[in-house]
Structure formats: C-alpha cells, structure tokens
C-alpha cells in the first residue's frame, strides 16, 4: 500500500530496502545463523556497487520494487542484463532517465535458509556485467524525458 502511495505521489520507482532502520526481520534462531553470512556478503556487494556507480540506494538486491507501467516500459526498453544484476541496471537506467526514486522499509519473514544465489557460479557473470555497466554500454542515455 505504501508503495502505491509513493507512486501516486509522483515517484517513478519504489525500492524495498532491508537496511533501513525501520525494516524488520522475522526468523528462527536456526535460520539466523545461515542468513547472517549472506547478509554480510550483501552489505559488501552493495558497498562495492555504490563505490563504482552513482547509486544512492543502500539495498539494490532486495528484489522488492514497484513502478508504474509507463515507467517500466521506458526503463525495461533499455535493459540488457539477463541475470540478477538487472536491479542495478534498472536503477542506473531510471536515474539516467531522470526518474524519481524512493526507498521504503520492509518486513521480511524467513522460514528457511535456502538461497537461489550460488556465489561462485554468479561471481564471474556479475563481474562481467558490472564492467559493462561501468563502461556505460548497458545504461540508457539521458535522452528520453521521464514519464509523469
């Protein structure tokens, strides 16, 4: 509901952010020991991303995003990255197109420790796409006016 309110208020992209002080996590003790190392790796990855790129979001990989159809059409028209780094490309593209971005706190419920990300299997593709983003070959030029 809050994301819809932000879109109605004129923001183009709403990002769920697990790292905001008002975000909450619910999990068992057994899950905590499995998730904590992944959490630390995510912090490290996000800091690297923010050092390399002009992204102000402190949680690019939460997978919790909302945007209006018009904004999605405009942003995804420029997307090239087929992997989980599409989040970074989406944020960079939205910024390049002048879209207004806001972050909201989230409440996460963890019932098990399984992850769909395999760190070693994704490290090389991630480095490849980060290099492409850095070279500017995958991010939209700021030639289109933002919608709304």
């Amino acid at each position: 509901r809050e994301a819809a309110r932000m879109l109605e208020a004129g923001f183009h992209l709403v990002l769920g952010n697990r790292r905001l002080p008002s975000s909450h996590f619910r999990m068992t003790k057994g899950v905590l020991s499995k998730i904590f190392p992944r959490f630390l790796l995510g912090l490290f990855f996000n800091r690297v991303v923010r050092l390399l790129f002009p992204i102000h979001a402190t949680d690019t990989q939460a997978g919790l995003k909302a945007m209006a159809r018009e904004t999605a059409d405009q942003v995804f028209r420029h997307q090239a990255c087929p992997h989980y780094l599409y989040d970074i490309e989406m944020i960079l593209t939205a910024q390049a197109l002048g879209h207004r971005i806001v972050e909201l706190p989230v409440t996460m419920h963890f019932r098990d420790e399984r992850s769909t990300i395999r760190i070693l299997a994704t490290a090389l593709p991630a480095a490849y796409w980060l290099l492409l983003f850095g070279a500017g070959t995958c991010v939209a030029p700021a030639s289109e006016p933002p919608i709304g």
Side-chain angles (χ1 to χ4, degrees):
R1 288 177 243 175
E2 187 63 25
R5 281 195 283 270
M6 291 293 104
L7 292 173
E8 290 169 4
F11 288 95
H12 300 106
L13 176 59
V14 181
L15 306 174
N17 187 327
R18 300 167 292 184
R19 295 190 177 93
L20 292 176
S22 50
S23 288
H24 299 280
F25 297 87
R26 297 211 163 71
M27 67 191 82
T28 64
K29 291 178 192 173
V31 171
L32 178 62
S33 66
K34 305 286 191 215
I35 289 177
F36 189 67
R38 195 168 74 210
F39 171 78
L40 291 177
L41 186 62
L43 279 176
F44 173 76
F45 179 78
N46 189 265
R47 289 193 195 270
V48 168
V49 165
R50 288 187 296 135
L51 283 172
L52 295 174
F53 306 107
I55 291 177
H56 303 291
T58 58
D59 188 1
T60 58
Q61 303 305 116
L64 305 166
K65 318 250 184 310
M67 65 182 93
R69 179 184 301 262
E70 296 84 15
T71 301
D73 287 343
Q74 192 179 38
V75 169
F76 288 132
R77 180 179 323 134
H78 299 285
Q79 293 288 120
C81 183
H83 301 291
Y84 71 96
L85 292 180
Y86 85 90
D87 303 79
I88 295 167
E89 184 181 20
M90 178 178 51
I91 294 167
L92 289 169
T93 301
Q95 288 179 172
L97 294 172
H99 290 293
R100 293 180 61 209
I101 300 171
V102 66
E103 296 179 285
L104 293 177
V106 298
T107 298
M108 304 284 293
H109 298 269
F110 294 98
R111 290 180 176 81
D112 64 42
E113 72 280 358
R114 288 177 287 191
S115 173
T116 58
I117 302 298
R118 299 293 169 241
I119 294 166
L120 294 177
T122 58
L124 287 176
Y128 170 78
W129 283 100
L130 289 174
L131 287 172
L132 288 179
F133 297 158
T137 58
C138 292
V139 178
S143 60
E144 294 182 50
I147 297 168

